[in-house]
Amino acid sequence: MDKIAVLKEEITKKLSETADLVDLDKIRVAYLGKKGSITALLKGMKDLSPEERKSFGAEVNKLKTFAAEKIEEKITELKEKEVEREIASMPQFDITTPVDLTRGSYHPITLVQRQCEAIFKSMGFTVEDYPEVVTDYECFESLNIPKHHPARDMQDTYYLDNGQLLKSQTSAAQNAILKKYGKNLVENGVPIKAIFPGRCFRNEATDACHENTFFQMEGVMVDKDISISNLIFFMKTMLSEVFRKDIKVRLRPGFFPFVEPGFELDISCLICGGDGCPSCKHSGWLELCPCGMIHPNVLREGGIDPEEYTGFAFGLGLTRLAMMKYGIKDIRDLNSGSLKSLSQFTDDE
Ligand code: FA5
């Protein structure tokens, strides 16, 4: 058998026996490398006669191509086997088996907020967003609370060095909303109907029903001939939709410089059933949603003529609403970050 046939057989045998890429590379170097057997055959051709060189050269080149192709094929084969081995060595699991994944859940305040938004949207209100850092003008002066007005004492908050403050009430957005939609009201007769939920801050001693950081949801409606009956209708609709059961409500006079007349809307405490407990300061009632007819000065400051238009505003205590809806006894649990207590609530919409 000639040298070429011997080498061909040898390469075929070695390739069939090798099972890893490192050995395979050694075979490549042994035959096709600088000092490899096939390379040596090519180098030796210089000693042949021109005729022999031609036919021998063609044979050696065929062998070289054969070896290169077989080595490439083997590389592909071994790489595929390696992937198969890796897959086989991966832990096997049944994807249909139920897994114990701890699922996240919405915060009770988010749930109540979303529910209120849906209720008011369905009654034609827009939902507005508003910053947490506001000016003194937004939070107080535009709301008929000039500097040094005693009503400010109830809403001490956190002040920034530049004079801005963390809003103590969502009413801080009223002026901007009146200005934003006032033109559409005056020129096109489209009533202003907006709610704006948001986080509020107060420098407040905390107890079971007071937090220094809590949520409110403001609502305003302005048009011609808006009266207290419109206000009562929207408040009643909202509460019956949120609680989906009869709850005792009382409306009593309340003072806020930005409404006239002003009311406190309280609900009978759902934690104690009205008997009195720490969640309702032992009164049996919980202040939930102060409201009233927007003061003429506030309308005027918002660019709306109080001789022509009237409106109502309310400031729903969203955090307290969440407490009542979910039977949370202590408001401080809501900011506690305790997943154990917070994750038990689900969206029941
Ligand atoms: C206000 O903040 C007025 N801006 C509400 C308003 C709006 C009146 C529009 C008239 C017209 P008050 O300070 O009472 O009012 O707060 C409103 C509601 O927010 C309260 O009834 C209560 O539900 C909630 N709230 C107030 N302070 C706290 C607190 N520290 N912790 C938790 N909830 C609070």
Side-chain angles (χ1 to χ4, degrees), residues 9-10 19-20 33 51 116 147 158 164-165 187 225 262 273 287 291 293 331:
E9 202 172 293
E10 205 178 285
D20 81 75
E51 289 79 46
C116 289
K147 290 215 160 48
Y158 304 91
Q164 287 185 304
L165 48 111
E187 289 179 6
D225 303 323
E287 282 178 17
C291 48
M293 300 304 293
I331 196 170

Side-chain angles (χ1 to χ4, degrees), residues 126-198:
T126 59
V127 181
E128 307 289 324
D129 201 9
Y130 210 72
E132 290 179 348
V133 177
V134 296
T135 59
D136 188 274
Y137 173 79
E138 289 165 288
C139 204
F140 299 118
E141 283 180 56
S142 69
L143 291 166
N144 207 26
I145 311 178
K147 290 215 160 48
H148 312 299
H149 191 290
R152 289 185 178 221
D153 293 350
M154 305 294 289
Q155 297 198 15
D156 187 18
T157 179
Y158 304 91
Y159 287 80
L160 279 66
D161 287 342
N162 66 5
Q164 287 185 304
L165 48 111
L166 299 186
K167 71 171 185 276
S168 59
Q169 51 181 348
T170 42
S171 303
Q174 275 194 25
N175 182 261
I177 303 295
L178 296 180
K179 284 176 178 159
K180 181 174 171 189
Y181 292 110
K183 199 163 173 257
N184 209 12
L185 169 70
V186 174
E187 289 179 6
N188 306 316
V190 179
I192 301 176
K193 286 168 93 178
I195 53 165
F196 23 108

Side-chain angles (χ1 to χ4, degrees), residues 155 168-169 171 174 202 204 209-211 214 216 218 256 258-259 264 287-292 313-317 319-320 331:
Q155 297 198 15
S168 59
Q169 51 181 348
S171 303
Q174 275 194 25
R202 289 189 194 174
E204 183 121 58
C209 58
H210 289 87
E211 256 293 9
F214 57 96
Q216 287 184 345
E218 193 85 359
F256 301 91
F258 36 94
V259 284
E264 285 284 0
E287 282 178 17
L288 186 69
C289 188
C291 48
F314 61 86
L316 173 69
T319 304
R320 290 209 186 143
I331 196 170

Side-chain angles (χ1 to χ4, degrees), residues 219-247:
V220 290
M221 179 171 183
V222 182
D223 198 1
K224 288 192 168 150
D225 303 323
I226 296 293
S227 69
I228 295 172
S229 21
N230 298 106
L231 166 63
I232 293 173
F233 166 80
F234 282 105
M235 295 296 91
K236 269 191 172 169
T237 309
M238 184 264 299
L239 291 173
S240 64
E241 286 287 316
V242 169
F243 290 102
R244 302 220 172 105
K245 66 175 178 185
D246 273 345
I247 40 159

Side-chain angles (χ1 to χ4, degrees), residues 26-126:
K26 283 183 191 156
I27 296 171
R28 185 189 61 76
V29 173
Y31 291 96
L32 298 171
K34 268 190 200 160
K35 293 180 186 166
S37 316
I38 296 176
T39 318
L41 286 182
L42 287 166
K43 279 184 189 161
M45 281 178 15
K46 64 180 186 320
D47 304 325
L48 300 175
S49 68
E51 289 79 46
E52 280 176 324
R53 198 179 302 151
K54 201 174 165 199
S55 62
F56 186 74
E59 287 303 309
V60 178
N61 271 328
K62 262 200 224 161
L63 176 66
K64 191 179 169 188
T65 309
F66 169 83
E69 282 176 0
K70 289 291 166 196
I71 289 170
E72 268 314 306
E73 277 173 23
K74 193 74 188 179
I75 290 175
T76 311
E77 181 194 317
L78 290 182
K79 282 191 174 164
E80 278 172 4
K81 280 196 177 144
E82 203 168 282
V83 172
E84 280 166 18
R85 260 199 311 278
E86 252 182 60
I87 291 173
S89 70
M90 282 162 76
Q92 303 292 308
F93 60 90
D94 176 359
I95 55 165
T96 62
T97 310
V99 195
D100 179 24
L101 282 182
T102 310
R103 291 180 59 213
S105 60
Y106 285 109
H107 193 281
I109 296 174
T110 308
L111 293 176
V112 162
Q113 179 179 327
R114 284 159 55 135
Q115 199 188 358
C116 289
E117 285 178 6
I119 294 166
F120 278 100
K121 265 196 215 166
S122 75
M123 297 192 289
F125 283 70
T126 59

